Amino acid sequence: MIKWYEAIESAQNVKELEELRISVFGKKGVLAEQFAKMKSASNEEKGAIAKELNIHKAKLAQLLNETKEVLATKELEVAMKAEGIDVSLFSTKGTCGALHPVMETMDKIVEYFNSMNFAVHTGPMIEDDFHNFEALNLPKYHPARDMQDTFYFKDEMLLRTHTSPVQIRTMLDTKPPIRMIAPGAVFRRDYDLTHTPMFHQVEGLLVDVDGKVSFANLKYILEDFLKYMFGEVEVRFRPSFFPFTEPSAEVDISCIFCKGKGCRVCSKTGWLEVLGCGIVDPNVFKAVGYEDVSGYAFGLGVERFAMLIHHIGDLRSLFEGDVRLLEQFR
Ligand code: DAH
């Protein structure tokens, strides 16, 4: 029996040990064989042999268990070392980062309006009631405030619900004429397939001193812009309402997926809504103390553009930071 103790002690791995266990404890194993032999011994001897065999049985079982634990731990350590990543090592494979699709789309939008002489302005994300609502012709208790599910702080401070307040800040800070866009993050209490609590907009504003800015000017630049972004599409203006513009319109492009025939993305209408715009409401100019001016304004959601351009179905995937998605935009 001694040789089995030695064999177990010198086993190199769990697999070898398991083979030994079968050789000792298996149906045709050493112990079974010894117990069988015992049957031919005399009655006096039987007791002594059985006692001795049972002692071996217990000792061998304990030794097997202990050795197994030691070997298994060792094997786990080796496996972990082999599979672990040494972050201090230089990588041989270089992975290249890329702009996030939302930022890339934003850059392209900014690029267009820069080429049309619009300056880029920014404003704070934490706004006050005056800039975000009041000055934009959205007085307190105006029903249109409900369209913008606002995150409020104390003292009438809030997370801006759109980039339109940058219009107000720019007009208060500078004299007309103005040609500006305001790209940036905005916040609303909303979360589903097409809404996230934070998203990005680009606001546009043009103000001139001769009172001659017309809807035709607005139409021209937006059509040109949308063709720059989406290629050869048809553009249509639908009468709509925004408190800060009068008249106002929502702008659609012919569906870029079905070419206007009607599909799932455009809800069978053949059209995709992409932005809001209008002629600046006189009340907005009054709020910033501008007289004898005219202007147009527009606003768009950057994620919506990115989703259409890249055919992304779920807005939320843009904010999960999943490398498998982001890698596709390299
Ligand atoms: N602020 C609007 C929104 O968040 C977008 C918008 C629509 C801006 C029309 C404008 C405009 O300047 O004229 O939904």
Side-chain angles (χ1 to χ4, degrees):
M1 290 309 276
I2 296 300
K3 81 165 200 204
W4 292 104
Y5 287 92
E6 284 168 357
I8 292 171
E9 274 167 354
S10 55
Q12 292 298 309
N13 51 50
V14 178
K15 190 170 168 254
E16 221 175 84
L17 201 65
E18 177 60 13
E19 279 160 14
L20 283 168
R21 188 188 67 78
I22 294 167
S23 309
V24 176
F25 288 92
K27 262 190 196 153
K28 293 177 187 160
V30 193
L31 281 169
E33 195 181 303
Q34 296 289 332
F35 276 114
K37 269 193 198 157
M38 190 179 75
K39 282 181 192 143
S40 53
S42 70
N43 276 347
E44 299 88 69
E45 281 170 331
K46 261 187 193 162
I49 295 173
K51 196 173 168 194
E52 197 190 320
L53 279 177
N54 277 323
I55 290 172
H56 279 307
K57 192 177 167 184
K59 278 191 179 169
L60 282 165
Q62 194 188 352
L63 184 62
L64 261 172
N65 278 339
E66 285 168 6
T67 316
K68 188 172 174 185
E69 219 174 290
V70 173
L71 287 176
T73 309
K74 246 192 219 157
E75 279 175 23
L76 184 66
E77 272 170 15
V78 171
M80 289 210 300
K81 249 195 201 142
E83 287 166 23
I85 299 166
D86 181 353
V87 288
S88 66
L89 271 181
F90 284 106
S91 168
T92 47
K93 264 197 299 193
T95 45
C96 180
L99 272 183
H100 191 280
V102 173
M103 291 302 129
E104 180 209 71
T105 306
M106 185 117 104
D107 282 356
K108 193 166 174 185
I109 296 167
V110 171
E111 188 179 278
Y112 174 83
F113 286 104
N114 272 344
S115 79
M116 290 297 192
N117 270 330
F118 283 67
V120 173
H121 284 247
T122 55
M125 290 179 200
I126 297 176
E127 262 297 2
D128 54 40
D129 193 88
F130 173 76
H131 292 90
N132 196 81
F133 291 129
E134 200 87 39
L136 287 161
N137 198 28
L138 264 152
K140 284 204 184 65
Y141 310 113
H142 192 289
R145 281 201 186 193
D146 291 349
M147 294 188 328
Q148 315 214 346
D149 307 290
T150 313
F151 287 109
Y152 281 100
F153 298 109
K154 280 192 288 200
D155 306 326
E156 305 212 329
M157 297 301 283
L158 45 88
L159 286 176
R160 67 178 180 195
T161 55
H162 48 179
T163 40
S164 305
V166 186
Q167 279 192 24
I168 302 299
R169 289 185 177 274
T170 308
M171 286 193 279
L172 288 172
D173 286 352
T174 53
K175 287 200 189 104
I178 291 173
R179 271 169 181 256
M180 58 141 296
I181 52 166
V186 301
F187 306 85
R188 289 188 198 178
R189 296 172 44 158
D190 221 345
Y191 188 65
D192 59 32
L193 264 186
T194 49
H195 299 89
T196 46
M198 189 279 298
F199 60 104
H200 298 83
Q201 288 188 335
V202 176
E203 178 81 12
L205 173 74
L206 180 142
V207 182
D208 210 349
V209 285
D210 63 4
K212 279 192 194 138
V213 178
S214 72
F215 210 97
N217 301 143
L218 174 63
K219 232 181 136 199
Y220 172 80
I221 194 160
L222 290 182
E223 266 184 40
D224 193 51
F225 162 63
L226 291 170
K227 287 191 170 143
Y228 178 77
M229 295 301 291
F230 295 105
E232 270 316 305
V233 285
E234 274 183 63
V235 179
R236 103 178 160 179
F237 288 68
R238 258 183 306 113
S240 184
F241 171 78
F242 296 103
F244 22 89
T245 44
E246 183 61 36
S248 305
E250 275 172 312
V251 184
D252 300 338
I253 54 169
S254 52
C255 181
I256 49 176
F257 302 109
C258 63
K259 304 277 175 274
K261 283 195 201 80
C263 66
R264 203 176 50 82
V265 185
C266 61
S267 308
K268 304 239 158 34
T269 61
W271 296 95
L272 299 164
E273 185 191 321
V274 286
L275 54 82
C277 67
I279 297 297
V280 179
D281 192 290
N283 281 342
V284 174
F285 287 140
K286 212 188 274 173
V288 296
Y290 276 16
E291 281 171 11
D292 302 323
V293 294
S294 61
Y296 62 65
F298 56 88
L300 62 90
V302 183
E303 279 78 6
R304 170 117 178 108
F305 274 56
M307 285 171 77
L308 291 174
I309 291 168
H310 294 294
H311 213 329
I312 298 166
D314 185 343
L315 171 61
R316 292 168 295 195
S317 64
L318 285 174
F319 297 111
E320 279 163 1
D322 189 330
V323 178
R324 289 168 303 178
L325 178 102
L326 299 175
E327 266 176 344
Q328 298 172 45
F329 300 104
R330 211 182 280 150

